[in-house]
Amino acid sequence: MAPGTELARDLAAIVGEEHVRVDDGALAAYARDATPLFHARPQAVVLPGSTEEVAAVLRHATARGIPVVPRGAGSNLCAGTVPLTGGIVLVLTRLNKLLEISPDELLARAQTGVSTATLADAAAARGLLYAPDPGSRTVSTIGGNVATCAGGLRGLKYGVTRNYVLGLEAVLPTGEVIRTGGRLWKDVAGYDLTRLLTGSEGTLAVITEATLALLPAPAETGTGVAYFDTLAEASRAVAAVIASGIVPATLEFLDRKCIDAVEEFAGLGLRRDAGALLLFGDDGSAANVAGNLARIGDVCRENGALDVTLAEDVARADALLAARRCSLPALSRLGSLTILEDATVPRHRMAEMVDRIDKIADTYDLRIATFGHAGDGNLHPTCVLDPDDGEGADRAHRAFAEIFAAAIAMDGTITGEHGVGAAKLPYLADRLGDDQVALLRRIKKAFDPAGILNPGKLGS
């Protein structure tokens, strides 16, 4: 019997033959996600069409000890959906119904495979805002956002995904379907399993539906950009903005290497003589936005800004935001392999951390540019490797190990929004300590006694 044939027949009996893939092309495609240098071939790929089918697949897998890796669009950057031990990749993109938007209750219900942009656009059409805004919003799914507790450009003012998850429908590895939370903004009955599953990276249960909080859409938005000689000056400006009592909707930065790459890539008219760029924005009433942007501009000038420009219209604002959003593709053009990481430090230590990243890059003879969320200290050091650098990947791994250690030493963390997955698991005990890691394993055992869900990741 050909490899995978028996498993394929069993799965086809649950979801239909057309929704099971064991051909070489599919197995190769689902052997990896958006994280470079990680891949492992599964035995089968299955695309369920309902919660009941998800439950049946999990019951089958638990009974036979077959690993299952839940997956959405595969856009994560921590190797969170790589099937390290083979088994089944459970692709949830067919669960793509936007079930409800309730303006009266300020909430939405969506199946796990709905894209972030689809939900955000549908909410906007009703005058509402879905605040989480990950960089992968056009392709990433709601289930993936919840599983990784995704962040984004609006995190400073609005928080991250966990701040908007009211309730979940999830399937335990044993096939039991549970509903945590619900439609209420206040509910403290029992342990907060909604929060526990948010960020659990597919290791405890398979999320099939989410109830999410919405907000009234702001009447006005505005954007500006400030240039500085150094990132240290930009960091001081960020601290001064927050100290002034303003919490901007957007407060992002690019270092000199990113500015050069973005300008070369997109030709947006950025100043290439600057050492750092600070992108700021706000939303709310027209009067408040205008006043806050003007004040932020003044604070930047008071802290050494070379130049401050406010976007005069929506088109220019979109162009400035594009400068931040296109940082990764712009850098990716510079080499054959791009490794995008994230680490977070207290806001006042951001410039110190970028300086440390630059020193580490020099030590390992690597090209590492840094951009990220200045408002919350979340940095994205990005390493670009040349095609003829045969040992570059090994040097990059050693460099990032030092970067994560530096973040921890500065009272920071190894990941602010990408998640742990397989990529960050070697550093998790350094961040949490052995006792917390042991507790994670006990929680994992309670949810998944057979150990089938996303093995080799959190709790393993």
Side-chain angles (χ1 to χ4, degrees):
M1 184 179 290
T5 300
E6 183 178 359
L7 177 59
R9 282 201 301 262
D10 292 340
L11 295 173
I14 298 171
V15 302
E17 186 175 344
E18 67 273 25
H19 302 305
V20 177
R21 299 286 300 275
V22 291
D23 57 282
D24 287 342
L27 298 185
Y30 288 97
R32 63 185 71 238
D33 52 30
T35 318
L37 304 176
F38 288 86
H39 59 88
R41 188 181 176 93
Q43 294 171 260
V45 177
V46 60
L47 293 90
S50 68
T51 299
E52 292 72 25
E53 289 181 355
V54 171
V57 170
L58 291 179
R59 282 194 297 270
H60 181 85
T62 292
R64 290 157 182 79
I66 302 170
V68 177
V69 178
R71 174 184 169 121
S75 60
N76 81 89
L77 291 163
C78 65
T81 56
V82 175
L84 299 177
T85 57
I88 299 166
V89 173
L90 186 70
V91 183
L92 298 161
T93 51
R94 287 183 62 216
L95 300 178
N96 58 5
K97 294 184 178 65
L98 181 54
L99 301 171
E100 178 185 5
I101 291 181
S102 173
D104 291 341
E105 295 176 90
L106 290 177
L107 62 80
R109 288 193 306 120
Q111 289 185 313
T112 190
V114 172
S115 76
T116 316
T118 296
L119 172 61
D121 291 347
R126 305 291 296 273
L128 301 170
L129 173 70
Y130 180 62
D133 186 33
S136 58
R137 65 189 298 274
T138 58
V139 294
S140 64
T141 62
I142 291 299
N145 288 178
V146 173
T148 58
C149 192
L153 273 64
R154 289 194 286 247
L156 173 63
K157 183 173 184 177
Y158 289 105
V160 296
T161 298
R162 67 168 168 261
N163 302 112
Y164 298 88
V165 182
L166 299 175
L168 296 171
E169 178 186 81
V171 185
L172 300 180
T174 52
E176 301 158 89
V177 180
I178 62 171
R179 281 190 171 271
T180 71
R183 303 174 71 94
L184 305 175
W185 288 65
K186 294 172 67 176
D187 183 354
V188 294
Y191 294 138
D192 193 345
L193 297 182
T194 304
R195 278 292 184 99
L196 180 58
L197 292 179
T198 302
S200 63
E201 300 185 18
T203 62
L204 302 181
V206 176
I207 297 165
T208 52
E209 182 186 313
T211 302
L212 303 160
L214 304 175
L215 300 172
E220 189 76 31
T221 61
T223 305
V225 61
Y227 297 93
F228 296 84
D229 275 327
T230 67
L231 189 58
E233 290 176 330
S235 296
R236 285 195 292 271
V238 168
V241 167
I242 303 300
S244 73
I246 301 172
V247 181
T250 305
L251 200 51
E252 303 286 306
F253 80 94
L254 279 69
D255 71 0
R256 184 190 300 274
K257 299 170 191 173
C258 285
I259 294 171
D260 284 341
V262 168
E263 187 57 23
E264 189 70 29
F265 173 61
L268 298 172
L270 306 180
R271 282 188 60 161
R272 299 178 73 164
D273 61 334
L277 174 159
L278 193 62
L279 176 71
F280 57 89
D282 201 18
D283 56 19
S285 69
N288 283 344
V289 169
N292 285 345
L293 292 183
R295 180 59 186 142
I296 293 170
D298 290 342
V299 170
C300 288
R301 293 185 189 94
E302 291 163 5
N303 284 272
L306 300 171
D307 182 28
V308 176
T309 303
L310 302 184
E312 65 276 10
D313 53 35
V314 172
R316 183 55 185 163
D318 288 345
L320 290 175
L321 288 170
R324 167 62 178 83
R325 293 189 187 279
C326 75
S327 296
L328 179 57
L331 290 167
S332 297
R333 296 171 67 247
L334 304 180
S336 61
L337 178 64
T338 304
I339 304 174
L340 170 64
E341 276 294 356
D342 86 313
T344 302
V345 296
R347 190 165 45 232
H348 68 278
R349 304 194 74 170
M350 186 178 67
E352 179 186 356
M353 184 64 188
V354 173
D355 183 58
R356 181 75 183 114
I357 290 168
D358 288 342
K359 287 181 170 62
I360 291 170
D362 290 342
T363 297
Y364 288 95
D365 190 24
L366 294 168
R367 178 165 45 185
I368 300 180
T370 306
F371 61 92
H373 313 293
D376 52 27
N378 186 200
L379 305 104
H380 293 307
T382 304
C383 181
V384 181
L385 298 175
D386 295 321
D388 57 352
D389 189 348
E391 298 178 351
D394 179 63
R395 297 201 316 278
H397 281 308
R398 285 185 283 145
F400 279 119
E402 288 198 24
I403 288 170
F404 301 143
I408 292 171
M410 295 181 194
D411 298 321
T413 186
I414 60 174
T415 175
E417 59 185 4
H418 288 176
V420 176
K424 300 286 186 67
L425 195 61
Y427 316 106
L428 186 61
D430 294 335
R431 171 64 182 94
L432 298 183
D434 291 338
D435 288 344
Q436 270 199 76
V437 170
L439 178 58
L440 293 187
R441 289 177 178 147
R442 293 197 294 273
I443 292 171
K444 163 76 169 172
K445 189 74 172 177
F447 275 80
D448 182 17
I452 66 156
L453 267 186
N454 215 359
K457 314 289 173 54
L458 285 175
S460 298

